[in-house]
Amino acid sequence: MKTRRHSRILDIITEFPIETQDELLSRLKEEGFKATQATISRDIKDLRLVKTLGGDGKYRYVSASKDSTDIRSNFSALFSTSVNSIDYAQNFVVIKTLSGMAQAVCAALDSIGYQEVLGTIAGDDTIFIVCRCAELAVNLTDELKKLI
């Protein structure tokens, strides 16, 4: 069922300008898929979906594979328009985003695959990043601040 759902999610984001997880969940439910918001959130991460700014000025989910040449430019565009501030404490980096954008930014950040990052977690407007050590947190913070 998961494979079928993932395949349909990729089709849906290609066919429709999906802006939110709720929108994606509604489309899936209309087609008879049983899923929760938490399932959709995991699917987005598993499929490495990121939000990018469309020609109409609205954000939408798109697929970004690890070998995509556009992944860094998509991340940069999303990051620069969604992030309000970045700071660190010890080996933690904290990113504050516009309301509702933390999960999209976090998924995009995860798709980049920064080596210094052990893990990430996102809420509505805040992302917590755990780095391997304090020095790497400082380096990551400096690098990310260049994008905003």
Side-chain angles (χ1 to χ4, degrees), residues 15-69:
E15 295 171 28
F16 304 100
I18 302 297
E19 294 181 57
T20 66
Q21 291 182 10
D22 286 337
E23 225 177 304
L24 182 56
L25 182 59
S26 294
R27 292 262 183 202
L28 286 171
K29 284 185 175 181
E30 286 172 8
E31 296 183 19
F33 287 91
K34 293 184 190 247
T36 65
Q37 192 279 326
T39 303
I40 297 304
S41 183
R42 282 190 299 275
D43 289 344
I44 287 170
K45 187 169 186 164
D46 290 347
L47 293 168
R48 300 191 183 283
L49 302 183
V50 295
K51 279 189 175 180
T52 59
L53 189 60
D56 59 359
K58 295 181 180 177
Y59 286 96
R60 62 179 288 173
Y61 282 106
V62 296
S63 177
S65 63
K66 276 196 167 188
D67 58 346
S68 171
T69 56

Side-chain angles (χ1 to χ4, degrees), residues 27-138:
R27 292 262 183 202
L28 286 171
K29 284 185 175 181
E30 286 172 8
E31 296 183 19
F33 287 91
K34 293 184 190 247
T36 65
Q37 192 279 326
T39 303
I40 297 304
S41 183
R42 282 190 299 275
D43 289 344
I44 287 170
K45 187 169 186 164
D46 290 347
L47 293 168
R48 300 191 183 283
L49 302 183
V50 295
K51 279 189 175 180
T52 59
L53 189 60
D56 59 359
K58 295 181 180 177
Y59 286 96
R60 62 179 288 173
Y61 282 106
V62 296
S63 177
S65 63
K66 276 196 167 188
D67 58 346
S68 171
T69 56
D70 292 334
I71 198 166
R72 284 221 177 249
S73 62
N74 288 342
F75 171 71
S76 181
L78 176 65
F79 200 86
S80 66
T81 58
S82 302
V83 172
N84 292 327
S85 68
I86 306 166
D87 208 346
Y88 68 93
Q90 302 288 333
N91 64 320
F92 293 95
V93 176
V94 178
I95 300 173
K96 298 296 277 179
T97 70
L98 299 173
S99 183
M101 293 304 295
Q103 290 184 13
V105 172
C106 190
L109 180 78
D110 288 342
S111 70
I112 297 291
Y114 285 101
Q115 294 300 312
E116 54 267 78
V117 174
L118 287 175
T120 60
I121 189 165
D124 183 59
D125 65 355
T126 305
I127 301 167
F128 288 105
I129 302 170
V130 179
C131 293
R132 297 185 185 281
C133 66
E135 181 182 348
L136 292 175
V138 171

